């Protein structure tokens, strides 16, 4: 049984046939590992943000499919394939916006579809191999995003980030924070301002936890303070992640990203989106076609407060993401380089 993820966010434990994750809803107060085995546990972990961030959701879902496959009692491929189709559909309904979820599940489905003559035991092995491959590839890809993005950071820079697109949002390194980690590794002095990121506080809880643990100089600000720090010239660049990038480069990311992009444009601060190629969705022409997840209003009115702070009867509107128009984005950093569309 895994008792230490050694700096990684999740792992498919092939020996125990479970998905081990660091429960992000408990951070920064408690570092608790969860061992997920049933489809419902895996679905809930994604839905309830125990594992979150586009790339991490993808790798977790792929591992989830492998775990569910290995637990199958089906004796022939017809029964097995039917079970897996249902499991993949179920996991795909956990969250709608991050395209990496559908990309990862598509890769697992492709293993099943492209090996019709493999027996049940053989296909289980192939699915486990694919889940492990995706885990390893995520680490490699994020490292490359970091190396490419570090070129955009000069010694002494302060960058602003929104939400958490750090190591917790991937297997390791992160996307938006990977350039920070690599710049620091290269000996550059780099400071980070982290938006707290209402309503679920991914910035204050998660980004700050992982950066402070890594020894990076980090300052948390409320979301509505970004204009103030930019106006004072305190920010050299903005680095954010992405959940889905449409064919015209409109980009969905955590709610609040759009306003940071508008501010960055206003103050002449470069605005960089860091994401793996798997986040680019060529089948969605523009941002209007990106499904935006709506979440429970209680995340605004009750969570994080000792008692409900908004009056009974008030309505809530709680979109989890917004779409930044491509013209506000200076460049995209991927594993293959820097794109300036
Ligand atoms: O709702 P979350 O916490 O899953 O939202 C995460 C984000 O918006 C991240 O910025 C995005 O997934 C990129 S993660 C590398």
């Amino acid at each position: 049984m895994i008792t230490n993820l050694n700096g990684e966010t999740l792992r498919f434990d092939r020996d125990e046939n479970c998905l081990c994750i660091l429960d992000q809803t408990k951070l920064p107060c408690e570092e608790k590992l969860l061992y997920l085995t049933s489809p419902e546990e895996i679905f809930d972990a994604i839905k309830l943000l125990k594992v979150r961030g586009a790339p991490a959701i993808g790798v977790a879902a792929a591992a989830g499919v492998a775990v569910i496959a290995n637990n199958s009692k089906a004796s022939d491929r017809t029964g097995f394939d039917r079970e897996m189709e249902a499991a993949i559909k179920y996991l795909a309904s956990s969250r709608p916006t991050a395209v990496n979820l559908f990309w990862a599940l598509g890769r697992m489905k492709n293993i099943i579809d492209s090996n019709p003559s493999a027996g049940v035991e053989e296909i289980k092995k192939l699915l486990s191999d694919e889940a492990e491959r995706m885990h390893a590839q995520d680490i490699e890809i994020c490292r490359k995003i970091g190396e490419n993005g570090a070129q955009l950071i000069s010694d002494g820079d302060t960058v602003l980030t929104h939400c958490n697109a750090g190591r917790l949002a991937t297997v390791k390194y992160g996307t938006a924070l990977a350039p920070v980690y690599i710049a620091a590794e290269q000996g550059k002095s780099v400071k980070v301002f982290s938006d707290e990121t209402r309503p679920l506080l991914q910035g204050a809880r998660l980004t700050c936890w992982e950066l402070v643990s890594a020894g990076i100089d980090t300052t948390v600000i409320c979301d509505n303070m970004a204009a103030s720090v930019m106006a004072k010239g305190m920010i050299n660049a903005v680095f954010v992640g992405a959940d889905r990038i449409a064919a015209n480069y409109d980009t969905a990311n955590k709610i609040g990203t759009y306003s940071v992009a508008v501010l960055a444009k206003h103050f002449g601060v470069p605005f960089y989106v860091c994401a793996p190629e798997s986040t680019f969705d060529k089948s969605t022409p523009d941002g209007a076609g990106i499904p935006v997840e709506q979440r429970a209003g209680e995340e605004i009115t009750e969570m994080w407060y000792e008692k409900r702070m908004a009056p009974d009867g008030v309505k809530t509107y709680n979109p989890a993401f917004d779409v930044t128009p491509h013209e506000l984005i200076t460049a995209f950093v991927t594993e293959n380089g820097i794109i300036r569309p």
Side-chain angles (χ1 to χ4, degrees):
M1 162 133 6
I2 293 169
T3 52
N4 188 342
L5 285 171
N6 292 321
E8 295 183 6
T9 301
L10 58 107
R11 179 120 23 97
F12 166 42
D13 184 342
R14 215 162 160 158
D15 298 332
E16 301 286 333
N17 193 37
C18 73
L19 166 61
C20 176
I21 62 166
L22 179 60
D23 183 351
Q24 299 193 33
T25 60
K26 297 276 187 287
L27 290 173
C29 304
E30 193 189 345
E31 289 179 48
K32 185 177 179 203
L33 296 184
L34 299 175
Y35 303 89
L36 314 173
T37 52
S38 72
E40 293 74 20
E41 283 172 340
I42 296 160
F43 177 96
D44 279 354
I46 297 174
K47 176 98 196 151
L48 303 176
L49 276 56
K50 293 175 184 177
V51 58
R52 43 139 309 276
I57 291 172
V59 177
V65 171
V67 169
I68 296 167
N70 291 333
N71 281 334
S72 169
K73 301 270 181 291
S75 54
D76 60 28
R77 275 298 297 272
T78 311
F80 177 83
D81 288 12
R82 203 179 310 119
E83 266 181 43
M84 294 318 298
E85 199 180 324
I88 288 173
K89 207 166 155 204
Y90 176 54
L91 294 183
S93 66
S94 56
R95 295 193 75 188
T97 306
V99 76
N100 309 61
L101 172 65
F102 309 99
W103 169 85
L105 292 172
R107 266 180 71 162
M108 297 305 270
K109 183 163 180 343
N110 189 43
I111 294 289
I112 298 171
D113 293 346
S114 57
N115 291 283
S117 51
V120 171
E121 289 315 309
E122 191 186 346
I123 199 78
K124 286 181 180 177
K125 182 186 169 304
L126 291 175
L127 286 168
S128 291
D129 290 347
E130 183 72 344
E132 282 185 338
R133 197 173 303 120
M134 283 166 69
H135 181 104
Q137 285 170 347
D138 188 77
I139 297 175
E140 203 180 308
I141 285 168
C142 288
R143 171 95 204 168
K144 285 191 183 141
I145 291 174
E147 286 165 2
N148 292 331
Q151 299 167 41
L152 302 166
I153 298 178
S154 303
D155 189 29
D157 273 359
T158 299
V159 310
L160 183 137
T161 192
H162 190 77
C163 192
N164 173 265
R167 78 166 178 85
L168 290 168
T170 64
V171 177
K172 199 178 172 179
Y173 297 117
T175 58
L177 296 187
V180 171
Y181 289 128
I182 303 298
E185 228 178 81
Q186 292 168 345
K188 293 177 192 166
S189 156
V190 49
K191 295 182 180 158
V192 177
F193 271 61
S194 170
D195 282 346
E196 64 175 352
T197 318
R198 286 276 295 151
L200 293 181
L201 306 181
Q202 287 94 333
R205 294 186 304 111
L206 308 177
T207 295
C208 294
W209 178 78
E210 66 162 84
L211 287 174
V212 168
S213 315
I216 307 279
D217 184 321
T218 308
T219 303
V220 65
I221 56 171
C222 300
D223 295 341
N224 53 4
M225 296 171 188
S228 165
V229 292
M230 284 191 201
K232 289 188 170 70
M234 292 162 71
I235 305 297
N236 301 99
V238 175
F239 282 79
V240 295
D243 283 82
R244 192 186 294 233
I245 301 166
N248 75 339
Y249 295 105
D250 289 350
T251 297
N253 193 49
K254 180 53 55 194
I255 189 77
T257 304
Y258 188 178
S259 37
V260 178
V262 171
L263 293 175
K265 185 81 162 182
H266 180 74
F267 290 107
V269 174
F271 184 91
Y272 300 119
V273 172
C274 305
E277 296 285 349
S278 53
T279 306
F280 288 76
D281 176 13
K282 297 265 185 316
S283 69
T284 300
D286 56 36
I290 299 177
V292 171
E293 178 181 13
Q294 292 287 334
R295 295 185 65 90
E298 287 72 25
E299 288 181 350
I300 302 175
T301 55
E302 288 171 33
M303 243 175 145
W304 320 115
Y305 300 95
E306 263 180 35
K307 57 180 193 205
R308 184 182 164 95
M309 60 79 183
D312 286 337
V314 72
K315 294 196 283 186
T316 54
Y317 174 62
N318 186 19
F321 301 94
D322 57 26
V323 179
T324 299
H326 60 270
E327 59 269 19
L328 297 178
I329 298 167
T330 311
F332 292 84
V333 182
T334 77
E335 64 271 35
N336 296 323
I338 298 171
I339 310 169
R340 294 177 192 272

